Amino acid sequence: IILLSIVLSQQTLGEDSKRLLILGDSISAGYGISADRQWTHILQRKLDLSGKNLRIVNASSSGETTGGGLSKIQSLLKSNSPDYLLIELGGNDALRGYPIDKIKFNLQEICKMATKQKVVVVLMQIRIPPNYGRKYKEAFEAIYTEVTKELNIQLVPFMLNNVALDSDLMFPDGIHPNEKAQPLIAEEVFKWAESL
């Protein structure tokens, strides 16, 4: 009877948990980092310790673009039934010089599909290095403010704001955060994730 009650209580807790679906690229997929040391896993532990009943479902993949995210979002929403969606996309689009209008359209459509399913959308600001050219950089980074204002969704700071310019926290490629950076990223995301 005691064992049965424990199992049932655990099932109830699992069912009551809210779900945060992360749709991102290699930064959220944990490029070059073992699974248990990735920021998403560290964040889950922090949420658990804080008593926040929020489960992270990480659907991020290396090389993902806004177009790729758009092609997957419908099936991800259906298979995961999230309460919240964090979109961390756009960096690879910029890396490839994709048109600003197309990037914005893709992000808008992802957001619209999720909100239509009553999912609370959180869009992460993405920053890119100045070597992309000032005009492209400014237009690209403005997309995120524009989309969140137009669709009335939450904009959260870029998780690498305090990491990207510190070579000690980055892999030699200057694009991906290393293992030392993972707890710092988790802390940055935790600042807003705990209020969901």
Side-chain angles (χ1 to χ4, degrees):
I1 293 172
I2 293 171
L3 276 174
L4 180 61
S5 64
I6 291 171
V7 170
L8 288 174
S9 66
Q10 287 176 337
Q11 286 177 342
T12 303
L13 283 172
E15 289 168 4
D16 290 343
S17 295
K18 299 287 187 180
R19 290 184 178 190
L20 169 62
L21 175 65
I22 302 177
L23 181 60
D25 55 28
S26 56
I27 308 297
S28 293
Y31 173 87
I33 311 292
S34 60
D36 63 327
R37 296 181 184 275
Q38 293 172 11
W39 72 263
T40 51
H41 288 260
I42 298 170
L43 175 62
Q44 184 67 74
R45 290 196 294 270
K46 288 177 70 66
L47 290 167
D48 292 344
L49 287 171
S50 74
K52 183 72 176 176
N53 205 12
L54 185 66
R55 297 275 75 84
I56 294 172
V57 180
N58 194 358
S60 304
S61 58
S62 293
E64 190 65 279
T65 61
T66 58
L70 178 55
S71 70
K72 295 175 183 175
I73 188 60
Q74 203 66 270
S75 62
L76 287 172
L77 292 172
K78 185 176 181 180
S79 60
N80 294 288
S81 302
D83 300 278
Y84 308 97
L85 170 65
L86 168 62
I87 304 168
E88 181 267 311
L89 291 174
N92 287 310
D93 298 63
L95 186 65
R96 298 166 192 179
Y98 287 172
I100 296 296
D101 289 348
K102 185 63 177 174
I103 300 170
K104 183 177 179 179
F105 173 81
N106 291 340
L107 289 172
Q108 286 173 320
E109 290 302 300
I110 294 170
C111 294
K112 288 176 184 177
M113 286 182 185
T115 52
K116 190 175 181 181
Q117 300 292 325
K118 309 297 183 190
V119 177
V120 176
V121 178
V122 179
L123 182 61
M124 180 172 286
Q125 173 72 59
I126 303 298
R127 304 283 182 196
I128 57 174
N131 59 301
Y132 287 82
R134 186 176 61 83
K135 187 176 179 182
Y136 186 86
K137 175 181 165 65
E138 289 177 357
F140 171 81
E141 294 183 356
I143 290 172
Y144 297 85
T145 304
E146 292 167 4
V147 170
T148 51
K149 284 182 177 178
E150 290 165 11
L151 300 180
N152 193 30
I153 59 177
Q154 185 179 358
L155 178 68
V156 294
F158 187 37
M159 59 187 167
L160 299 186
N161 277 343
N162 299 316
V163 170
L165 297 179
D166 187 341
S167 60
D168 194 44
L169 299 175
M170 300 293 287
F171 280 120
D173 63 11
I175 296 173
H176 298 98
N178 62 27
E179 189 174 309
K180 291 181 188 175
Q182 303 302 304
L184 301 177
I185 297 170
E187 183 60 39
E188 281 301 305
V189 178
F190 181 74
K191 287 177 184 176
W192 59 261
E194 66 174 338
S195 65
L196 290 176

